Amino acid sequence: MTMPEYLTTPQGRRIAYHRTKGAGPGVVFLGGFRSDMTGTKAMALEDWAGRTGRAFVRFDYSGHGASSEAFLDGCIGDWAEDAVAAITALTQGPQVLVGSSMGGWIALLAAKALPERVAGLVGIAAAPDFTEDSMWAGFSDSQKLALTTSGQLDLPSDYSDAPYVITRKLIEDGRQRLVLRDPLPLPMPVRLLQGTADTDVPPAVALRLMDHAESPDLRLTLVKGADHRFSTPDCLALIEAALEDVLARIGG
């Protein structure tokens, strides 16, 4: 496996990335909470980019994977800054962002920050505003008190023996980045993919996003029985098809 290259962001964080050269519009993959750029979807898209001659970037947010900083020191705002830095420094021309889970939220923030660069979006179990609507809203009064007083809360994880540690910083910063409370103009092709068996980000989130966003070309595909990983061969093929649809619609 090739070693990553590194980008230093304007905030001084060192971001690990892999870049595939190719034709534009390019594609940037934005991973999920506590995931990294070596996951199944990121690697499948890199393989697709190689086969199709498409420019492609995958990277690790700060505190994730091979990038600098501690995970517990990070928050949505930091990771959105990392994404904006990666898009700005590592790509040229219009880009299609593919955001998985938290990456869907990051993609929306990046599109807001770089309207002249983001030409299309593909969301995979996109999780906008999850720190408020899923985490905070789901905490008991005692959990909220513990988080507020101690600054962090340990939650069990379905994907690791180690717990999810939620910090007060993550929750408080997330409140400053919410995208489903105010108008959300997305003047571009948007494709949302969602599994009906997703217990982490239920279909209701995708339906809310579809209803809230202002877009001339937004479609939601529900896949019966697919879970949050959305990484079976059939699901990966759907991601490729959605991406190719968006690229075709923007003239790529």
Side-chain angles (χ1 to χ4, degrees), residues 118-169:
V118 179
L121 295 175
V122 176
I124 308 164
D129 300 4
F130 77 90
T131 55
E132 191 70 14
D133 297 335
S134 178
M135 289 181 172
W136 181 256
F139 292 160
S140 65
D141 289 343
S142 61
Q143 287 175 318
K144 290 179 179 179
L145 179 61
L147 181 64
T148 302
T149 55
S150 70
Q152 69 179 51
L153 179 68
D154 292 353
L155 298 175
S157 168
D158 292 335
Y159 304 100
S160 170
D161 291 335
Y164 269 164
V165 179
I166 308 304
T167 65
R168 184 172 59 200
K169 177 182 179 180

Side-chain angles (χ1 to χ4, degrees), residues 49-74:
R51 286 187 280 110
T52 59
R54 181 71 56 176
F56 176 72
V57 171
R58 58 184 170 98
F59 70 96
D60 288 330
Y61 310 113
S62 52
H64 291 68
S67 291
S68 72
E69 314 306 321
F71 173 76
L72 293 183
D73 291 337

Side-chain angles (χ1 to χ4, degrees), residues 217-235:
D217 184 7
L218 189 157
R219 297 181 185 180
L220 166 63
T221 299
L222 293 173
V223 181
K224 186 174 179 63
D227 63 15
H228 189 62
R229 292 180 177 86
F230 212 84
S231 294
T232 66
D234 284 348
C235 286

Side-chain angles (χ1 to χ4, degrees), residues 66-90:
S67 291
S68 72
E69 314 306 321
F71 173 76
L72 293 183
D73 291 337
C75 57
I76 301 298
D78 292 344
W79 302 327
E81 288 174 347
D82 295 342
V84 168
I87 295 164
T88 301
L90 303 177

